[in-house]
Amino acid sequence: MTKPYDILLYYCYSPIADPEAFREEHHLLCLELNLLGRIIVSNEGLNGTLSGLRADCEKYMQAMHADPRFARIDFKVDASENHAFTKLHVRTKTEIVHSGMLHINPSVRTGVHLSPAEFKDMKDRPDVVVLDVRSDYEHSVGRFKNAVTLDIENFREFPDKVDELKEKYKDKKILTYCTGGIKCEKASAFLLEQGFENVYQLHGGIIKYGMEAGGEDFEGKCYVFDNRVAVDVNKVNPTVVSACYVCGTKSDRMVNCANPVCNLHVPICENCGVELDGACSATCKEHPEKRPYDGSGYYQKELNGYNPLKGFNRRKTTDAPA
């Protein structure tokens, strides 16, 4: 049976003159189309993940492509049984992905974009290094076979690792990758700025590679930033690379510790989940604030009376009085 919902993942580096005015208009568009998710608006562009009924998502993509600023957006579309989010947030920020590399403009210079087929053809060559630019909790549950991974808690730490990369791989061809491609835009541009000469990026990221190349040699699952947490991408030679935080058995079941004070985000197998009632340790199991465990290890954030219309200065109205 056809899944009725779509999940959209996209970004676009394109100047937005008045981010706050655009945010307001764009938020209203998403409300009209019954879309949920997260969108970041900046003067450098857009970064979004949304979910909605297929027809509503189609209308959204048509509206975006009709705007010359966003005509080149490459939407990654995944079918779903239901919404991947419970609310809508459209926010303005300094960057559309927090990197701290404010001087980098991917629209001016960035790594060579490789299609999934081109990436697949190049990735195993002896003069190539495949570089994962994501955070440690992301690549812990899945990464490309033989990829170089970085011990970073967030993307802001990427520049701190470049000197180390330069010592080992400066004369190699660097193939960067991430979930949907956005981090690679700045990461590859920064590598070029730092003296690397042959820098490439997987266009559309792991998600597009799974859709167009079957995900071959991507080991484990791909971490995503919605209610699914981690998704399968490899239809050719899948495997599990992560281990249960508690017992060490193979497990790609990413959960949050039921103790909200801890909230550790790691793989925990179903057996340990049951034994520790959703906690990551015996200490957390006994914590007085421990959340009820429903077997999923996922805890929805409190909406706290969330009102998506709050803060609007302009509203669409019916015909104004004469």
Side-chain angles (χ1 to χ4, degrees):
M1 185 173 67
T2 303
K3 296 177 180 179
Y5 287 81
D6 277 340
I7 301 170
L8 309 181
L9 175 66
Y10 71 93
Y11 71 89
C12 183
Y13 281 98
S14 182
I16 298 175
D18 189 341
E20 185 53 44
F22 179 86
R23 184 211 72 82
E24 189 172 311
E25 295 166 2
H26 202 69
H27 197 160
L28 190 55
L29 170 65
C30 293
L31 289 174
E32 291 173 343
L33 294 175
N34 303 304
L35 301 176
L36 301 177
R38 293 189 294 264
I39 300 173
I40 297 173
V41 181
S42 166
N43 57 17
E44 67 179 7
L46 288 175
N47 176 16
T49 309
L50 292 171
S51 64
L53 290 169
R54 181 156 296 114
D56 292 329
C57 288
E58 289 288 345
K59 291 176 183 176
Y60 178 82
M61 290 187 286
Q62 290 169 9
M64 295 300 288
H65 283 150
D67 188 325
R69 294 172 295 181
F70 314 120
R72 59 188 177 86
I73 288 181
D74 180 22
F75 286 97
K76 276 73 71 178
V77 184
D78 198 7
S80 177
E81 292 288 355
N82 40 47
H83 268 297
F85 299 93
T86 59
K87 57 185 177 180
L88 172 69
H89 272 160
V90 184
R91 295 172 288 183
T92 56
K93 292 192 175 184
T94 305
E95 298 178 274
I96 57 176
V97 62
H98 193 4
S99 69
M101 295 179 277
L102 297 175
H103 66 292
I104 295 290
N105 184 353
S107 298
V108 175
R109 189 189 189 203
T110 190
V112 177
H113 286 68
L114 297 177
S115 69
E118 292 170 330
F119 182 89
K120 180 180 177 181
D121 180 63
M122 286 185 66
K123 66 181 180 62
D124 295 322
R125 296 180 185 177
D127 61 340
V128 163
V129 169
V130 176
L131 175 63
D132 192 321
V133 304
R134 300 172 303 155
S135 303
D136 49 16
Y137 65 89
E138 297 174 79
H139 61 65
S140 69
V141 74
R143 63 261 182 186
F144 276 101
K145 183 179 180 181
N146 299 323
V148 173
T149 58
L150 304 175
D151 182 19
I152 57 177
E153 292 186 5
N154 54 65
F155 188 50
R156 295 189 304 275
E157 299 173 22
F158 175 79
D160 298 334
K161 297 293 182 179
V162 171
D163 286 343
E164 180 182 329
L165 293 172
K166 193 180 297 185
E167 290 180 11
K168 298 179 180 178
Y169 309 119
K170 186 176 179 180
D171 296 328
K172 297 280 190 176
K173 293 177 181 177
I174 309 296
L175 273 59
T176 65
Y177 75 88
C178 58
T179 306
I182 187 170
K183 291 179 179 178
C184 291
E185 297 283 6
K186 287 206 169 185
S188 63
F190 188 74
L191 290 172
L192 288 167
E193 181 187 75
Q194 296 302 306
F196 289 81
E197 295 182 359
N198 298 294
V199 184
Y200 305 80
Q201 58 179 287
L202 173 57
H203 182 59
I206 301 163
I207 299 299
K208 196 174 185 69
Y209 184 84
M211 293 175 175
E212 296 189 3
E216 184 173 353
D217 289 336
F218 185 82
E219 300 179 328
K221 289 188 175 183
C222 178
Y223 189 96
V224 292
F225 296 88
D226 58 57
N227 293 1
R228 298 172 298 169
V229 184
V231 298
D232 292 316
V233 296
N234 192 332
K235 305 176 186 67
V236 180
N237 54 348
T239 186
V240 178
V241 296
S242 49
C244 175
Y245 175 79
V246 179
C247 70
T249 60
K250 290 284 188 180
S251 176
D252 54 16
R253 183 174 171 271
M254 290 291 289
V255 303
N256 284 98
C257 176
N259 173 9
V261 178
C262 171
N263 208 45
L264 186 66
H265 191 43
V266 289
I268 296 180
C269 70
E270 289 191 22
N271 288 340
C272 289
V274 171
E275 184 175 341
L276 293 173
D277 199 29
C280 70
S281 67
T283 300
C284 283
K285 180 180 179 180
E286 301 304 322
H287 195 279
E289 296 181 38
K290 192 187 80 64
R291 296 170 287 205
Y293 179 58
D294 65 2
S296 69
Y298 178 82
Y299 303 94
Q300 183 61 55
K301 292 182 180 179
E302 294 293 332
L303 298 185
N304 295 324
Y306 175 75
N307 177 5
L309 285 170
K310 185 178 180 180
F312 269 86
N313 298 316
R314 296 192 299 269
R315 303 285 205 287
K316 280 204 168 184
T317 62
T318 54
D319 292 340

